Amino acid sequence: MALFGKKQPQTDVSELILPKHVGIIMDGNGRWAKKRGLPRKAGHTEGARTFRKITRYCSEIGIQYLTVYAFSTENWRRPEDEVGALMKLFKSYLEEAIRDFKDDDIVVRFIGDKNGFSPELRELMDENEECSRERQGMVLNIAMNYGSRDEIVRAVRAIAADVRDGRLSEDEITEQLVSDHLYTAGQPDPDLIIRPSGEYRISNFLLWQSAYTEFVIMNKLWPDFQKEDLDEALRIYSQRNRRYGGV
Ligand code: IPE
Ligand code: IPE
Ligand code: MG
């Protein structure tokens, strides 16, 4: 019997060894909208829906840490109306998130420089972190105004100040100490980073933390991304042989 057109058998994720920490570069919103003759912001609205769906799903299947890239330090370069639409979306999204993730027991954290945002948005971010702090479920890091180079520069500055003021000696600067000065301090490094939209680049996401991360690039735009696509990424991940420089 011809198999042409037959769908791949679905992955049963309960049978896989799951990554502890998954990162997602939520990319492709603009192209999704363009394909439909819609303004780019329509793609961002749809992308926010996908974000909710996939976040809940990750928590359901037992992922312990999820880091999503929502807005980079370079995304301010976009046209004013697109940045404005994104800020509006973040606001309405963060208002809902306070309620939304409660039932899922999700701990919400923001990584990136909050000072780039309006006082109103900053307050919403603080509120989300505050009211989810005691939860026991998946940790969700939302990377907003995040750039990994910026993160590393901040860490270097803080460490330099400690050395200058005599709180730290040069030989106490270790890989662990650097990790402890990043936004992700105390969390395991990502095991898997997924980039939808088919781009083969990291775009300033978790540079230090991804030294031994497995990458899965998927040819789907983020608004089209389904639970099954996550399952597929997890299946690919489970077949990788991680060697960490060994044999
Ligand atoms: C990702 O989608 C969302 C943000 C960067 C805020 P894009 O807006 O980058 O979508 P494309 O890559 O242009 O399709
Ligand atoms: C990376 O996507 C940032 C986010 C998804 C938030 P970009 O669309 O900004 O990355 P480039 O410009 O394609 O590298
Ligand atoms: Mg993009």
Side-chain angles (χ1 to χ4, degrees):
M1 196 174 70
L3 286 174
F4 181 73
K6 196 174 172 187
K7 273 189 137 184
Q8 285 280 324
Q10 287 198 348
T11 308
D12 181 357
V13 289
S14 66
E15 287 175 4
L16 300 178
I17 297 171
L18 290 180
K20 208 172 187 182
H21 185 170
V22 175
I24 304 181
I25 301 175
M26 304 189 291
D27 196 23
N29 296 349
R31 278 163 282 172
W32 183 92
K34 196 175 169 203
K35 258 170 62 182
R36 288 163 178 76
L38 297 168
R40 291 179 58 87
K41 65 180 182 188
H44 296 312
T45 307
E46 207 49 42
R49 269 196 206 120
T50 305
F51 160 66
R52 267 196 207 95
K53 176 178 73 187
I54 297 299
T55 298
R56 285 235 174 81
Y57 184 57
C58 284
S59 142
E60 264 168 45
I61 62 174
I63 301 296
Q64 297 176 42
Y65 296 86
L66 173 67
T67 302
V68 293
Y69 204 4
F71 193 84
S72 75
T73 44
E74 288 74 46
N75 287 148
W76 298 105
R77 294 179 189 155
R78 296 188 176 197
E80 217 177 297
D81 64 329
E82 182 174 348
V83 172
L86 278 164
M87 295 303 135
K88 249 175 100 179
L89 195 64
F90 291 150
K91 180 176 174 293
S92 67
Y93 180 73
L94 291 178
E95 284 166 347
E96 284 169 32
I98 292 175
R99 299 191 302 272
D100 266 17
F101 290 144
K102 201 167 164 211
D103 295 339
D104 305 271
D105 211 24
I106 293 173
V107 180
V108 181
R109 302 210 33 219
F110 293 92
I111 63 171
D113 181 13
K114 282 185 190 159
N115 291 321
F117 296 107
S118 68
E120 191 182 26
L121 262 179
R122 286 207 302 264
E123 214 168 283
L124 275 168
M125 291 162 112
D126 291 342
E127 224 176 308
N128 268 282
E129 288 183 325
E130 202 51 51
C131 75
S132 69
R133 201 180 296 279
E134 303 299 326
R135 294 183 196 155
Q136 301 296 316
M138 183 180 80
V139 173
L140 167 67
N141 298 309
I142 307 179
M144 274 172 59
N145 194 19
Y146 174 87
S148 199
R149 286 188 166 184
D150 175 66
E151 175 183 41
I152 293 168
V153 168
R154 281 163 197 277
V156 171
R157 283 199 191 128
I159 294 168
D162 282 347
V163 173
R164 180 197 60 209
D165 299 340
R167 289 187 291 271
L168 194 72
S169 68
E170 243 172 85
D171 52 4
E172 284 174 307
I173 303 174
T174 59
E175 292 187 6
Q176 186 60 49
L177 185 97
V178 174
S179 294
D180 291 344
H181 280 79
L182 302 177
Y183 292 120
T184 48
Q187 302 189 14
D189 287 338
D191 302 292
L192 165 67
I193 289 181
I194 303 168
R195 184 160 191 162
S197 92
E199 303 291 3
Y200 284 71
R201 56 178 171 263
I202 185 115
S203 303
N204 208 4
F205 187 50
L206 304 177
L207 300 180
W208 173 276
Q209 298 90 329
S210 65
Y212 276 102
T213 299
E214 296 297 323
F215 280 87
V216 173
I217 310 290
M218 303 194 83
N219 252 328
K220 269 254 175 117
L221 302 172
W222 178 244
D224 288 329
F225 200 87
Q226 307 294 331
K227 292 175 186 176
E228 290 74 20
D229 297 310
L230 190 92
D231 290 348
E232 172 66 0
L234 294 173
R235 189 189 62 75
I236 296 169
Y237 168 82
S238 74
Q239 291 176 343
R240 296 270 174 91
N241 180 5
R242 302 181 77 186
R243 285 187 290 276
Y244 301 95
V247 286

